[in-house]
Amino acid sequence: MKQLLSLVILLTVLMSCSSVGRNDEKNIALIQNYVEAIENFDHEVMADLLDANYLGLGPSFGDSIRKEQAVENWKYNVDNLYEKIDYTRTRNAAISISSGENQGEWVSNWSELYITYKDGRGTVAIWANSIYQIQDDKILKSYTFYNEADALRQLGYVFFNPNDL
C-alpha cells in the first residue's frame, strides 16, 4: 500500500511539471553561461544574462537583491575578496511549472563550489544550490542555498552560544 501511495504521489508531481513546450537545453545552456561568467569574473556577461527585473533571494532567509545591486556587489567581491571561484561536480536540471505562484521555466544548479580568497585566508568548499527562473532568455529570479556558517568556520570564525558566557 505504501508503494502504491508513493507511486501516486510521484506521478502527481511529475504530471504537475509538464515538459510540453519547454526549452530545457536552451535554459540549461543559459545557466551554464552564467556559471562560466561567475568563474571568469565577467560581470558584463552576468549583467547581460539577468533580466532588468531580476530578484535574487538567499542564502539567508530575508536576503534579497536586485540586478543593479547584484552586479555592483559582484564587482566589489571580485576587486576585494575573491581570487578564484571553481564550480565542480556541477549538475543542472530543468523543469517547467505549469500553474501557481511559481509558474514558468526553471533550472536548478547543484555544485561543489570552491572559493579562494585574495587575503590569504585560503579556500572554502561548500555545497551550493541555485534555482533560476528563466523568462525571455534571461534570469528573472534566483534562489541560492548554502551553509554560510560552514564557509565562515572554514575561514577561521568561531561560533559560540552567548548563554554560555
Side-chain angles (χ1 to χ4, degrees):
M1 187 64 170
K2 287 182 183 180
Q3 290 176 335
L4 179 60
L5 180 59
S6 296
L7 181 59
V8 169
I9 291 171
L10 177 61
L11 289 174
T12 303
V13 169
L14 291 175
M15 289 173 59
S16 69
C17 300
S18 171
S19 63
V20 177
R22 290 196 330 210
N23 299 302
D24 291 0
E25 290 178 18
K26 184 171 69 167
N27 291 341
I28 287 173
L30 174 74
I31 298 309
Q32 288 171 331
N33 289 338
Y34 188 72
V35 167
E36 286 176 19
I38 291 171
E39 288 181 309
N40 294 327
F41 298 152
D42 192 339
H43 59 83
E44 290 177 8
V45 169
M46 291 174 62
D48 186 52
L49 297 175
L50 297 175
D51 187 84
N53 295 315
Y54 169 76
L55 174 64
L57 300 165
S60 293
F61 189 81
D63 286 353
S64 67
I65 196 165
R66 292 291 184 177
K67 178 179 180 172
E68 186 176 308
Q69 293 172 300
V71 173
E72 288 304 312
N73 282 356
W74 186 249
K75 288 179 188 177
Y76 176 84
N77 289 343
V78 167
D79 290 343
N80 298 290
L81 294 176
Y82 301 148
E83 181 177 310
K84 185 177 182 184
I85 294 182
D86 286 315
Y87 281 73
T88 63
R89 297 184 179 183
T90 297
R91 298 294 180 264
N92 295 298
I95 191 167
S96 182
I97 300 175
S98 59
S99 64
E101 180 181 340
N102 292 307
Q103 181 176 351
E105 296 182 351
W106 294 82
V107 173
S108 184
N109 171 273
W110 299 274
S111 296
E112 186 175 303
L113 187 60
Y114 293 89
I115 304 170
T116 303
Y117 288 82
K118 286 184 174 185
D119 62 5
R121 287 189 281 176
T123 301
V124 299
I126 59 173
W127 288 105
N129 177 229
S130 294
I131 304 164
Y132 302 94
Q133 184 178 23
I134 312 299
Q135 182 175 296
D136 299 325
D137 299 324
K138 300 281 187 181
I139 300 169
L140 178 63
K141 185 187 287 185
S142 68
Y143 294 91
T144 298
F145 307 94
Y146 62 89
N147 186 336
E148 290 178 289
D150 183 46
L152 291 170
R153 181 195 54 77
Q154 291 177 58
L155 290 171
Y157 289 84
V158 177
F159 297 90
F160 62 92
N161 184 338
N163 294 329
D164 292 342
L165 296 178

